Amino acid sequence: MNDTAEGRNKASGGVPRSPRSVPVGEAEYLAAYDPSVYPPVAVTADIVVLTVRNGRLAVLLVERAGHPFQGCWALPGGFVEEHEDVDAAASRELREETGLRLVVAGQAGTKGGRGHGGQAGHLEQLRTYGAPDRDPRLHVISVAYVAMVADVPAPAAGSDAAVARYWLVEDLALPAFGQRHGAALAFDHATILADAVERVRAKLEYSTLATAFVDEPFTLGELRRVYEAVWGESVHEANFRRKVLSTSGFVEPTGSTAPTEGRPAQLYRRSDATVLHPPLLR
Amino acid sequence: MNDTAEGRNKASGGVPRSPRSVPVGEAEYLAAYDPSVYPPVAVTADIVVLTVRNGRLAVLLVERAGHPFQGCWALPGGFVEEHEDVDAAASRELREETGLRLVVAGQAGTKGGRGHGGQAGHLEQLRTYGAPDRDPRLHVISVAYVAMVADVPAPAAGSDAAVARYWLVEDLALPAFGQRHGAALAFDHATILADAVERVRAKLEYSTLATAFVDEPFTLGELRRVYEAVWGESVHEANFRRKVLSTSGFVEPTGSTAPTEGRPAQLYRRSDATVLHPPLLR
DNA sequence: ATAATAGTGTCTCTCAGACAGTATGTG
DNA sequence: CACATACTGTCTGAGAGACACTATTAT
């Protein structure tokens, strides 16, 4: 943030307008500072929790008990509390809804959650949505996050009994994807969800994030089905295997195998790479 | 946004707590609604204006006249006004600082600014920074944007006489890049700048955004120097040319030429593609 | 046996990387 | 002329895409 605006005396902010020719000390300035006159806006952290269920992409939604959009389904989330880090608010909301503990990844200088052998799951910021009319009550700015988790961190773990369940993304009305039929989402959550899905589709190409959708250990078949569910198209099996195994740091074998419907499959765990060069193109 | 929190009666929000067994109508609800009790936070839109000057990446900074961080250099930006779209606030700040009119690109359903033959420049959201201690006065949440512009949309166009100038990115202290020496930035703006530079470096690989840094018409040499400035490494000329010209929709020839220090160069303008498949790898 | 999935080998074609060489301007 | 930049041609090796084939389980 900054307020060069204030420095140029054009903001309506609550800063004592000391003439620039008579500077005051910083301590003095902060003591005299009145925060109550900044524009009243509320900030929420909303999370798009994505998972793969039965080969399909699914998203966690909660049913709204109150107005507005009563009875509609919406992304889980809530207000950022006073003096609470926005990223921390996202972690808190995710934990309350799913029981999962993930920290936000992706900012310079912070090394995000998942590393070698870490817990399944990934949490990152998506985008901030700040249209003034997106909430009929007041100007609510939503900082949206995407969480990618393995199946069945069900809302069961949530402490309070809000109605929450996973929906198949294909069963929702998402105009941005040309999906005109299906359940309508509250607020601008259809836009947010569409952006999240696009983000994840792109990220699977050039990162190892697909592994965030499966529990360890996993088979290459399971990993491939993640790609197919997210991209919505089939992936050539032999070439996928060659590509994944030839990318050092993507996965590493555990040595044991798991039974399948056919020949038993080698099991793998996540390794330490996060980016894929060259990418695994769609 | 949403407030399932409120729906579950666990938020401290300013919603009249009507018992869930006695629902009220939505109009009634909105009339009784008191927005004043939401957590007090301020929201700013800050912009990382990047350009290429003399073959180097440069960023527009303003000198802070007031406390805190008086005398330090900071990213241009300012408070989001009441009922103002956050993206619109970013456009407004950019216009005030540089005179450029750009709209924010990148959200599903909105087709961002630049198209065929459009104005040079690109504006997109970067990330939101919401640590509670990033401003010593109060909890200020910054929605950061990246603008990529051609050289010399100088602060001259700015209406008020704030001290603003371009800095070479390499002359700033950016711990995230291992740059320990150079001018220190106010607040957490060094982190924001580092994230912006990383974003732009990545985007040049898989998008046509390099053309946002040059005015039309431009030569392939100018376009190549954009890549070299942003990536900080030399790009093989013949292969760059072959790649750019073979990607349909990247650039199109104007037919005329421009004098250079050697053989005159063919001139090009932007075309309609926005993404590069396959990418132009670093 | 069949069905189903896991896994290997190999051919081909595209393309990035490298480099040599030509074209066309200026001093 | 030398020099600088623009532009072209071509060789080579890596790798994606496609496909045939083998392996190992269950029924």
Side-chain angles (χ1 to χ4, degrees):
Chain A
M1 100 63 144
N2 92 38
D3 46 6
T4 48
E6 162 251 309
R8 295 195 307 263
N9 277 345
K10 74 169 192 198
S12 58
V15 178
R17 306 275 176 104
S18 58
R20 299 214 359 216
S21 51
V22 186
V24 298
E26 178 146 346
E28 216 173 316
Y29 166 87
L30 288 173
Y33 182 78
D34 173 18
S36 68
V37 281
Y38 282 91
V41 292
V43 178
T44 64
D46 296 322
I47 313 185
V48 181
V49 183
L50 294 174
T51 193
V52 173
R53 319 194 83 186
N54 307 318
R56 313 252 166 167
L57 190 62
V59 59
L60 182 65
L61 297 178
V62 296
E63 189 173 15
R64 288 186 55 77
H67 292 289
F69 292 99
Q70 188 174 43
C72 282
W73 292 81
L75 298 172
F79 289 100
V80 175
E81 294 171 7
E82 201 169 348
H83 301 121
E84 183 185 33
D85 188 341
V86 182
D87 287 351
S91 287
R92 173 176 56 77
E93 294 290 344
L94 179 68
R95 179 166 35 82
E96 288 171 0
E97 296 294 341
T98 68
L100 281 173
R101 294 174 181 274
L102 293 175
V103 301
V104 175
Q107 189 178 343
T110 69
K111 41 208 167 288
R114 52 191 288 279
H116 187 290
Q119 189 185 17
H122 174 84
L123 178 61
E124 71 177 43
Q125 229 188 71
L126 174 63
R127 194 191 197 280
T128 294
Y129 298 81
D133 57 349
R134 51 184 302 282
D135 188 299
R137 295 167 292 184
L138 78 165
H139 194 181
V140 177
I141 292 168
S142 167
V143 185
Y145 291 77
V146 195
M148 310 172 204
V149 304
D151 195 11
V152 201
S159 49
D160 35 11
V163 183
R165 54 164 277 223
Y166 281 99
W167 286 74
L168 294 186
V169 171
E170 65 200 39
D171 289 341
L172 300 170
L174 297 177
F177 288 171
Q179 294 180 206
R180 308 243 157 250
H181 303 295
L185 271 57
F187 305 105
D188 54 357
H189 289 187
T191 300
I192 298 178
L193 175 57
D195 286 345
V197 170
E198 259 314 300
R199 165 80 62 95
V200 172
R201 282 180 179 161
K203 276 224 151 190
L204 287 209
E205 293 195 51
Y206 59 89
S207 77
T208 61
L209 273 186
T211 61
F213 284 104
V214 292
D215 271 323
E216 282 181 324
F218 51 87
T219 69
L220 290 188
E222 288 166 351
L223 191 61
R224 183 169 51 86
R225 279 184 284 278
V226 167
Y227 277 88
E228 292 178 330
V230 173
W231 287 347
E233 59 191 55
S234 63
V235 173
H236 188 106
E237 199 220 306
N239 295 337
F240 176 80
R241 152 179 257 90
R242 175 160 44 87
K243 175 75 188 186
V244 169
L245 294 180
S246 70
T247 302
S248 81
F250 198 166
V251 300
E252 55 190 45
T254 64
S256 50
T257 60
T260 71
E261 287 182 50
R263 169 178 170 177
Q266 181 65 239
L267 285 168
Y268 295 85
R269 67 171 74 90
R270 282 177 278 280
S271 190
D272 46 17
T274 59
V275 290
L276 257 38
H277 311 277
L280 202 158
L281 294 177
R282 226 179 297 191
Chain B
M1 99 64 140
N2 95 34
D3 48 6
T4 49
E6 162 250 311
R8 294 196 306 264
N9 278 345
K10 74 173 190 191
S12 57
V15 179
R17 305 278 177 100
S18 59
R20 302 219 348 221
S21 51
V22 186
V24 298
E26 177 146 346
E28 214 174 318
Y29 165 88
L30 288 174
Y33 181 77
D34 173 16
S36 67
V37 281
Y38 283 90
V41 291
V43 178
T44 64
D46 296 322
I47 312 184
V48 182
V49 182
L50 294 174
T51 193
V52 174
R53 319 195 83 187
N54 306 318
R56 314 252 164 166
L57 191 63
V59 59
L60 183 65
L61 298 179
V62 296
E63 190 174 14
R64 287 187 56 76
H67 292 289
F69 292 99
Q70 189 175 42
C72 282
W73 292 82
L75 297 173
F79 289 100
V80 175
E81 293 170 9
E82 202 168 350
H83 301 120
E84 182 184 34
D85 188 340
V86 182
D87 286 353
S91 288
R92 174 176 55 78
E93 294 289 342
L94 179 68
R95 178 166 36 79
E96 289 171 359
E97 297 294 340
T98 68
L100 282 172
R101 294 174 181 275
L102 294 174
V103 301
V104 174
Q107 189 178 342
T110 69
K111 39 208 169 286
R114 52 190 290 279
H116 188 291
Q119 190 186 17
H122 174 84
L123 178 60
E124 70 176 44
Q125 228 188 74
L126 174 63
R127 191 190 199 281
T128 294
Y129 297 81
D133 58 348
R134 52 185 299 285
D135 189 298
R137 294 167 293 183
L138 80 164
H139 193 182
V140 177
I141 292 168
S142 167
V143 185
Y145 291 77
V146 195
M148 309 173 206
V149 303
D151 195 10
V152 201
S159 49
D160 35 12
V163 184
R165 52 164 279 221
Y166 281 100
W167 286 74
L168 294 185
V169 171
E170 65 200 40
D171 289 341
L172 301 169
L174 298 177
F177 287 172
Q179 295 180 205
R180 306 244 158 252
H181 303 296
L185 271 58
F187 305 105
D188 54 357
H189 289 188
T191 299
I192 298 176
L193 174 57
D195 286 345
V197 170
E198 260 313 300
R199 164 79 63 94
V200 173
R201 282 180 179 161
K203 278 225 149 187
L204 286 210
E205 293 194 51
Y206 58 89
S207 78
T208 62
L209 274 186
T211 61
F213 285 104
V214 292
D215 271 323
E216 281 180 323
F218 50 86
T219 68
L220 291 187
E222 287 166 352
L223 190 62
R224 183 170 48 88
R225 279 184 284 279
V226 167
Y227 277 87
E228 292 178 330
V230 172
W231 287 348
E233 59 192 53
S234 63
V235 173
H236 188 108
E237 200 222 304
N239 294 337
F240 176 80
R241 152 177 259 92
R242 174 160 44 88
K243 175 75 187 186
V244 169
L245 293 180
S246 70
T247 302
S248 80
F250 198 166
V251 300
E252 55 190 43
T254 63
S256 50
T257 59
T260 70
E261 286 182 52
R263 169 178 169 177
Q266 182 64 239
L267 285 169
Y268 296 85
R269 66 172 73 93
R270 282 177 278 278
S271 189
D272 45 18
T274 60
V275 290
L276 258 38
H277 316 272
L280 202 159
L281 294 177
R282 223 177 300 192

